[in-house]
Amino acid sequence: MAFSSALFSHVWFHTKPNLNRKLPPKLNKTNRKPLTVAAIPPLSTATDISDGTTLAVIGGGSVAALAAVLSLADPEKRRQLQAEEVGGGDKEVVKEYFNNSGFQRWRKIYGETDDVNKVQLDIRIGHSKTVENVMKMLTDEGPLQGVTVCDAGCGTGCLSIPLAKEGAIVSASDISAAMVAEAEKQAKEELFTSKNELSPAPVMPKFEVNDLESLDGKYDTVVCLDVLIHYPQSKADAMIAHLASLAENRLILSFAPKTFYYDLLKRVGELFPGPSKATRAYLHAEADVERALQKVGWRIRKKGLITTQFYFAKLVEAVPA
């Protein structure tokens, strides 16, 4: 079910991670090979991650039968009910989800616990590949010591912590207070109580609870991973423009690619979770993201795709045109 695409600019990637970084044991291999630079938010953000049944439907049934089932589904109605429950729109739904059931689910996926099923482990591996690719993008152009980075939508700190270990000055934010508290806790444990001595000493990331619209300041690099999936294209355009206005040299974005295949997977996933178990997921066409960047004077320099069986991530690195 997974597939990959060729890179516009080939990058050598070490599958053996830095020993100071938190990565799943299965990623610790010593081979060296070219890997597509790319990343994207898992489509599972929009589904209840329980087992492989949801996506297995595609392999076991005909397209015609699947289309018939989808025609009876009304995910939009479920999302409307969910929004009414929390008294707001997409932003309020996302905030509520990642402060409660979503926080518990994704903290487990992003962590190191063995208490994950095969789907969750697959998504963990895919997300780790995304973080590795972003770190490779950033370090390829020189040391990160003293470089300012905005990690917009930091989650539990999967990117912020490795950035700090490399000496970057990190401003990290998330709409979820629970996620920010967890990220700060993990950063303190990894940066200042680890047995591995880092030289020079890392600077603790500045964590804050904030939505993307409220971010301000200027940074050498702005990174926003697995967040645009919560924005319809009409709002994503404005958000991309806003993030670009914060970046001086580079903007790195991941988004769920809008293709017939991925759209079908998303619709299947929406058949299964209850209305309170997930946020609405929006897929984005690469051409739309590129146009949004061009409107504000930016161009895509690198792009590619990361996929595992249940994780699909498009990553683009943009620079001023």
Side-chain angles (χ1 to χ4, degrees), residues 7-311:
L7 240 198
F8 280 69
S9 176
H10 226 39
V11 173
W12 284 96
F13 175 75
H14 290 274
T15 55
K16 181 178 180 181
N18 184 309
L19 295 179
N20 291 326
R21 296 179 192 158
K22 248 187 192 179
L23 289 174
K26 291 188 177 181
L27 295 184
N28 296 332
K29 296 182 180 180
T30 58
N31 58 309
R32 171 184 172 96
K33 62 181 179 179
L35 181 71
T36 304
V37 172
I40 238 185
L43 298 185
S44 308
T45 299
T47 65
D48 182 24
I49 304 166
S50 53
D51 55 35
T53 305
T54 301
L55 298 185
V57 172
I58 289 185
S62 68
V63 174
L66 180 58
V69 173
L70 291 176
S71 68
L72 300 176
D74 188 7
E76 183 60 29
K77 180 62 176 178
R78 292 202 300 272
R79 301 301 180 234
Q80 290 175 0
L81 291 174
Q82 184 184 21
E84 291 172 3
E85 287 180 4
V86 299
D90 282 343
K91 183 189 296 187
E92 288 72 21
V93 169
V94 170
K95 184 176 182 179
E96 175 74 12
Y97 174 73
F98 283 105
N99 272 324
N100 295 286
S101 63
F103 166 67
Q104 298 299 333
R105 185 171 293 118
W106 288 95
R107 179 178 62 172
K108 183 165 64 173
I109 292 172
Y110 292 153
E112 294 184 313
T113 175
D114 293 330
D115 183 25
V116 290
N117 58 47
K118 62 181 181 180
V119 178
Q120 293 170 330
L121 178 60
D122 182 85
I123 293 170
R124 177 189 291 177
I125 292 171
H127 183 263
S128 294
K129 288 181 179 179
T130 294
V131 172
E132 282 280 335
N133 274 275
V134 172
M135 291 301 298
K136 181 65 175 169
M137 278 183 175
L138 294 172
T139 56
D140 269 354
E141 297 199 0
L144 294 180
Q145 189 68 39
V147 174
T148 57
V149 181
C150 172
D151 184 7
C154 65
T156 59
C158 297
L159 178 63
S160 294
I161 295 170
L163 285 171
K165 287 181 178 180
E166 293 291 334
I169 308 301
V170 183
S171 294
S173 63
D174 199 281
I175 195 172
S176 164
M179 287 286 190
V180 169
E182 179 66 17
E184 191 164 18
K185 172 178 173 289
Q186 291 192 21
K188 288 178 180 177
E189 290 177 354
E190 290 195 45
L191 298 177
F192 303 110
T193 62
S194 173
K195 293 180 181 179
N196 296 322
E197 294 295 331
L198 298 176
S199 181
V203 176
M204 179 72 177
K206 177 185 178 183
F207 291 103
E208 62 180 352
V209 180
N210 228 337
D211 56 41
L212 296 189
E213 294 89 340
S214 302
L215 296 178
D216 57 13
K218 281 289 184 180
Y219 309 89
D220 178 86
T221 298
V222 174
V223 183
C224 185
L225 303 181
D226 297 6
V227 178
L228 289 179
I229 198 169
H230 302 301
Y231 288 83
Q233 190 60 49
S234 58
K235 293 183 178 179
D237 286 356
M239 190 48 52
I240 290 171
H242 177 58
L243 292 173
S245 73
L246 306 177
E248 295 183 328
N249 296 312
R250 179 162 43 188
L251 172 62
I252 297 176
L253 301 170
S254 72
F255 55 93
K258 186 174 179 60
T259 66
F260 173 78
Y261 178 69
Y262 290 143
D263 192 51
L264 190 63
L265 289 184
K266 183 174 79 74
R267 289 297 307 278
V268 171
E270 286 177 331
L271 294 176
F272 292 85
S276 64
K277 291 184 179 179
T279 64
R280 186 181 305 175
Y282 297 98
L283 310 186
H284 300 287
E286 182 183 318
D288 290 335
V289 173
E290 188 166 12
R291 276 194 294 270
L293 288 165
Q294 289 174 343
K295 285 180 182 178
V296 292
W298 287 66
R299 63 177 177 85
I300 293 177
R301 181 168 66 174
K302 293 178 183 176
K303 59 183 176 180
L305 183 69
I306 284 177
T307 68
T308 61
Q309 188 175 4
F310 299 102
Y311 180 97

